[in-house]
């Protein structure tokens, strides 16, 4: 006895069914495809128990004669191709000739069919893959096929089916796709005798989408069409607000076949790019028409995938097409907002260049005035001009805005100025302290209400002893108590909240800078300025900001802080104009 044997026909069909018939929706898919291939203009789909109990598809297509009906359930029997050449240019949805025998091997099938030129139709029953009844039957032209008790003979497969709701949802999604791909056909879908939808024949895709997804969705779609010589792409793109965290609203059709494609998905999501945040997917209904020779549809048993001869080329064309459509849409939105009669209000920027010329965006997304309001957390109306002789570059009609409690924003005649509040204040204080020390002016002190004791380490104590006069000149009053404990009774008035802690911090920084080789005057001025200056995070009032900028701009070299960091950045109007595409 040989070990190898040819499997019985029924088992072969059941094995094929494992690939072709995954769930009720895959049965419905094969049946509706057959109806469309038969030239039907009306298709009714009836399901019970999510398609597990019953899937019935009734069409008004060409029907089958007695001879063909019997062949239809044989393996590899098809009327759609007859040669390898045909396989290379498929115009039908079916071509493998394995759907009907596969389905019949895992369910009970009853079929009634009649061609236009026959007087009587045929009724046929198949159970466990075998024809159990075949006889004449009155019938309309077309085919009605009922698939009952799916997987009754293969309980293991039946267990994998999801809930009725889930299977029903899959079938609704399936018929929706057919309705979009073949809008010239009418569809009626019922579940448990309840009508889910009844879509009339209409090539008006927008109306069809409105019927399927609601008019709300239609108002947020961008319609586009691109005809490159051999490849046509058209369809609808959802505006970003329609995005979802799943891909369920992305539908690709290649030559009217609904397919999944990583290539197309990548092109689509890349074209949306940063319009969508990570993990969000757009709504998109995309149709590609390509000569059948340039696409292989025979790569998946359920025909859910295709392979393009030039994957890269298709990818790039789709990417460019979608991107262009999105860009066009959002640029026209910008134009609309410019024409809009609503006056543009720039909060706080009275008399500025922005207000005078009004918004004239040429590219990119419209700028929302609201955004400016949010950025300018503390707009100040105070606009008293800064005296020219004091301020260097004129701060005419200046207003001051504090950003992130860290930067001060203002304008001069012809530039935007952004100031780092801490670096600027540090620079101003450094100059003041250095001048006072150099010209032996006393810096005003501030007595502490409660003198505080501070514990110093040996190095600090040693440093204090040799530099006490300098520290007193800048405003500290410090006395030795016992050992290395000192008592601090006054601090420089420039420190806004004087405390003994500040003394220790200044002393530490002073030591560090002196050890780095700075002369004592610069070192103490730097240390004190750094500790006394406003910090990033401190909220400043309008007058405070104005005073700070006046002081800063009156310095000879206001641009850098004592550590060499910039205190301010100037952006000329010409630069802004260049970047906004105005010049
Ligand atoms: P395929 O669709 O790949 O040819 P199927 O097993 O789905 O294979 O169908 C086998 C054949 O049965 C088809 O080629 C077609 O000739 C015929 N057929 C199936 N369904 C219908 C139908 N609804 N109307 C007319 N002919 C049909
Ligand atoms: Mg078929």
């Amino acid at each position: 006895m040989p070990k190898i044997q040819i499997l019985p026909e029924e088992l072969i069909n059941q094995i094929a069914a494992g690939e072709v018939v995954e769930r009720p929706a895959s049965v419905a898919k094969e049946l509706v495809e057959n109806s469309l291939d038969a030239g039907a203009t009306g298709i009714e789909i009836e399901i019970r128990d999510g398609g597990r109990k019953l899937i019935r598809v009734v069409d008004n297509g060409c029907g089958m004669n007695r001879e063909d009906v019997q062949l239809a359930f044989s393996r590899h029997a098809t009327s759609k191709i007859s040669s390898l050449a045909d396989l290379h240019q498929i115009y039908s949805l079916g071509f493998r000739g394995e759907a009907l025998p596969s389905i019949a091997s895992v369910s009970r099938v009853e079929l009634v069919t009649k061609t236009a030129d026959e007087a009587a139709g045929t009724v046929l029953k198949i159970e466990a893959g075998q024809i159990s009844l075949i006889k004449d039957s009155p019938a309309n032209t077309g085919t009605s096929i009922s698939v009952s008790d799916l997987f009754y003979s293969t309980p293991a497969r039946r267990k994998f089916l999801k809930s009725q709701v889930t299977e029903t949802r899959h079938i609704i999604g399936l018929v929706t796709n057919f309705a979009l791909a073949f809008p010239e056909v009418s569809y009626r879908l019922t579940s448990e005798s309840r009508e889910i939808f009844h879509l009339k024949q209409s090539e008006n895709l927008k109306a069809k989408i409105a019927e399927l997804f609601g008019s709300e969705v239609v108002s947020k779609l961008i319609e586009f069409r691109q005809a490159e010589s051999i490849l046509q792409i058209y369809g609808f793109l959802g505006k970003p607000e329609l995005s979802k965290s799943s891909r369920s609203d992305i539908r690709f059709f290649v030559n009217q076949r609904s397919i999944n494609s990583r290539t197309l998905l990548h092109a689509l999501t890349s074209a949306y790019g940063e319009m969508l945040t990570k993990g969000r997917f757009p709504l998109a209904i995309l149709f590609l028409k390509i000569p059948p020779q340039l696409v292989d549809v025979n790569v998946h048993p359920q025909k859910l995938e295709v392979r393009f001869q030039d994957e890269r080329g298709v990818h790039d064309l789709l990417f460019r097409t979608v991107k262009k459509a999105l860009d066009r849409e959002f640029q026209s939105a910008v134009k609309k907002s410019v024409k809009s009669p609503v006056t543009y209000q720039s909060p706080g920027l009275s008399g500025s260049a922005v207000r005078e010329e009004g918004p004239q965006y040429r590219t990119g997304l419209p700028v929302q005035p609201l955004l400016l309001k949010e950025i300018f957390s503390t707009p100040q109306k105070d606009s008293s001009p800064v005296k020219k002789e004091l301020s260097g570059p004129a701060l005419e009609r200046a207003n001051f805005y504090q950003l992130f409690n860290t930067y001060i924003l203002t304008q001069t005649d012809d530039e935007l100025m952004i100031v780092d509040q801490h670096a600027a204040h540090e620079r101003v204080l450094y100059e003041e302290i250095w001048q006072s020390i150099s010209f032996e002016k006393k810096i005003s002190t501030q007595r502490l209400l409660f003198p505080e004791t501070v514990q110093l380490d040996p190095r600090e104590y040693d440093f204090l002893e040799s530099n006490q006069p300098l520290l007193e000149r800048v405003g500290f009053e410090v006395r030795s108590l016992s050992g290395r404990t000192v008592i601090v009774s006054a601090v420089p008035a420039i420190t806004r909240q004087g405390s003994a802690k500040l003394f220790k911090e200044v002393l530490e920084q002073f030591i560090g800078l002196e050890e780095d080789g700075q002369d004592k005057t610069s070192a103490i001025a730097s240390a004190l300025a750094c500790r006394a200056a406003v910090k990033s995070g401190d909220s400043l009032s309008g007058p405070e900001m104005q005073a700070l900028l006046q002081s800063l701009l009156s310095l000879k070299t206001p641009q850098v802080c004592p550590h060499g960091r910039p205190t301010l950045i100037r952006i000329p109007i010409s630069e802004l104009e260049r970047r906004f595409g105005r010049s």
Side-chain angles (χ1 to χ4, degrees):
M1 265 269 290
K3 286 187 198 155
I4 297 176
Q5 45 180 304
I6 308 283
L7 297 174
E9 172 96 1
E10 198 195 340
L11 186 54
I12 294 174
N13 286 333
Q14 283 171 336
I15 291 170
E19 283 190 312
V20 178
V21 185
E22 187 190 334
R23 63 187 338 152
S26 18
V27 172
K29 176 178 189 286
E30 295 297 337
L31 300 183
V32 174
E33 284 188 0
N34 281 346
S35 297
L36 290 166
D37 282 344
T41 55
I43 301 175
E44 291 191 13
I45 303 111
E46 182 189 342
I47 60 169
R48 286 186 192 276
D49 191 16
R52 295 180 288 198
K53 189 94 210 74
L54 175 75
I55 302 166
R56 177 180 293 138
V57 175
V58 181
D59 69 50
N60 62 356
C62 64
M64 285 174 269
N65 62 31
R66 178 69 57 90
E67 211 181 335
D68 283 339
V69 180
Q70 282 165 277
L71 276 172
F73 288 88
S74 309
R75 197 162 164 70
H76 308 309
T78 178
S79 59
K80 297 167 192 174
I81 60 169
S82 58
S83 70
L84 182 63
D86 292 344
L87 186 59
H88 292 152
Q89 36 185 316
I90 301 270
Y91 289 92
S92 54
L93 291 167
F95 54 89
R96 296 169 65 99
E98 60 183 355
L100 291 186
S102 301
I103 292 166
S105 74
V106 293
S107 65
R108 294 181 234 274
V109 174
E110 183 176 329
L111 182 140
V112 181
T113 185
K114 187 184 93 65
T115 60
D117 42 64
E118 284 175 312
T122 303
V123 59
L124 177 112
K125 277 191 187 181
I126 300 190
E127 239 157 300
Q130 301 300 314
I131 298 179
S132 60
L133 172 96
I134 180 160
K135 62 172 194 185
D136 278 3
S137 163
N140 296 326
T141 299
T143 303
S144 161
I145 177 164
S146 310
V147 175
S148 314
D149 303 324
L150 186 63
F151 299 136
Y152 79 97
S153 55
T154 49
R157 295 297 302 275
R158 203 170 52 224
K159 268 199 222 132
F160 279 104
L161 292 179
K162 298 278 182 344
S163 69
Q164 180 190 334
V165 176
T166 303
E167 298 300 342
T168 305
R169 198 160 38 86
H170 277 277
I171 292 172
I172 294 173
L174 176 95
V175 182
T176 299
N177 285 345
F178 282 118
L180 292 169
F182 297 86
E184 70 279 11
V185 175
S186 71
Y187 303 83
R188 180 162 181 262
L189 173 63
T190 57
S191 167
E192 316 297 331
S193 309
R194 196 172 54 86
E195 185 173 290
I196 306 229
F197 53 63
H198 189 174
L199 299 163
K200 306 263 159 17
Q201 296 168 270
S202 156
E203 308 237 7
N204 181 342
L205 266 183
K206 251 192 171 158
K208 195 134 285 183
I209 292 169
E211 222 171 314
L212 287 164
F213 307 111
S215 49
E216 174 79 17
V217 166
V218 174
S219 69
K220 290 172 184 154
L221 292 181
I222 303 156
E223 191 171 359
F224 74 100
R225 180 175 291 272
Q226 152 100 28
E228 199 102 324
S229 54
I230 55 161
L231 178 58
Q232 274 183 50
I233 304 179
Y234 64 96
F236 301 88
L237 301 166
K239 294 184 181 171
E241 66 238 56
L242 289 181
S243 74
K244 261 197 181 175
S245 58
S246 82
R247 296 165 196 180
S248 58
D249 281 345
I250 298 178
R251 293 159 198 268
F252 296 123
F253 299 91
V254 173
N255 294 348
Q256 296 182 285
R257 196 185 288 280
S258 163
I259 55 132
N260 305 321
S261 164
R262 291 175 59 186
T263 300
L264 300 184
L265 182 69
H266 185 268
L268 174 73
T269 51
S270 314
Y272 269 88
E274 288 176 359
M275 291 180 78
L276 295 178
T277 49
K278 253 203 146 52
R280 303 290 295 179
F281 295 92
L283 181 148
I285 302 170
L286 297 181
F287 301 93
L288 279 80
K289 280 208 155 58
I290 184 166
Q293 310 86 275
L294 301 182
V295 55
D296 188 354
V297 295
N298 187 30
V299 294
H300 189 282
Q302 294 173 36
K303 299 161 286 177
L304 293 173
E305 288 170 18
V306 298
R307 198 179 293 130
F308 299 106
Q309 210 175 72
D310 179 7
E311 290 275 329
R312 177 96 245 163
V314 172
H315 173 279
D316 293 353
L317 181 61
L318 179 63
F319 172 80
R320 274 187 276 124
T321 305
V322 171
K323 193 151 172 36
K324 205 164 103 192
L326 293 173
D327 284 352
R328 196 186 333 112
E329 171 67 23
F330 288 104
Q331 274 174 36
S332 71
V334 170
K335 280 194 207 108
K336 266 180 235 151
S337 88
V338 172
K339 276 191 234 127
S340 119
V342 179
T343 38
Y344 177 79
Q345 298 248 326
S346 70
L349 281 179
S350 52
S352 72
V354 177
R355 180 60 162 277
E356 279 153 24
E357 294 191 31
Q360 289 187 354
Y361 316 110
R362 293 198 187 146
T363 53
L365 293 163
V367 174
Q368 297 289 326
L370 189 70
L371 214 62
L372 294 174
K373 208 181 258 165
E374 283 161 7
I375 292 171
F376 299 147
S377 60
T378 51
Q380 297 298 320
K381 293 281 175 204
D382 184 351
S383 61
S384 60
V386 177
K387 280 188 214 119
K388 269 219 162 162
E389 62 271 24
L390 264 181
S391 63
L395 280 171
E396 265 161 5
R397 301 192 307 271
N399 294 285
F400 304 94
Y401 306 93
Q402 194 182 22
L403 306 188
F404 312 115
N405 281 345
T406 298
Y407 305 103
I408 299 165
L409 195 72
T410 190
Q411 66 176 107
T412 66
D413 280 349
D414 53 3
E415 59 195 7
L416 166 68
M417 192 184 284
I418 307 167
V419 177
D420 179 320
Q421 67 187 35
H422 172 72
H425 197 205
E426 200 178 358
R427 182 82 186 86
V428 168
L429 291 180
Y430 171 85
E431 204 78 24
E432 266 176 34
I433 298 162
W434 192 87
Q435 298 256 342
S436 301
I437 300 169
S438 302
F439 299 106
E440 307 219 327
K441 282 190 271 174
K442 178 96 171 90
I443 295 176
S444 51
T445 58
Q446 175 189 348
R447 304 208 67 80
L448 297 179
L449 200 49
F450 303 104
E452 287 171 65
T453 58
V454 180
Q455 192 68 41
L456 300 179
D457 69 23
R459 197 176 60 121
E460 288 165 347
Y461 189 78
D462 180 57
F463 198 84
L464 172 66
E465 280 199 311
S466 44
N467 292 287
Q468 190 132 11
L470 186 54
L471 285 162
E472 276 176 8
R473 199 175 305 156
V474 297
F476 287 109
E477 257 182 48
V478 187
R479 256 178 323 114
S480 283
L481 213 56
S482 66
R484 292 194 306 275
T485 303
V486 298
I487 184 157
V488 180
S489 49
V491 295
I494 51 168
T495 68
R496 293 184 302 165
Q497 298 142 338
S499 75
K501 192 164 147 276
L502 177 112
F503 167 70
K504 202 171 148 103
E505 284 170 2
V506 171
L507 187 63
E508 273 167 24
Q509 200 161 341
F510 182 17
I511 295 169
L513 290 170
E514 214 237 16
E515 281 175 357
D516 281 352
Q518 271 198 27
D519 68 86
K520 282 188 197 295
T521 311
S522 302
I524 186 67
S526 285
L528 182 54
C530 181
R531 291 291 138 192
V534 295
K535 309 265 177 304
S536 100
D538 290 346
S539 167
L540 300 182
S541 70
E544 279 175 322
M545 290 190 278
Q546 185 167 21
L548 175 54
L549 263 96
Q550 280 181 16
S551 307
L552 180 70
L553 295 178
S554 68
L555 300 178
K556 276 199 203 80
T557 52
Q559 298 89 341
V560 287
C561 80
H563 308 310
R565 268 202 308 126
T567 57
L568 57 88
I569 295 171
R570 297 158 185 242
I571 302 174
I573 289 181
S574 57
E575 168 69 6
L576 296 177
E577 284 171 344
R578 191 184 64 75
R579 298 184 65 161
F580 283 110
R582 284 165 166 263
S583 63

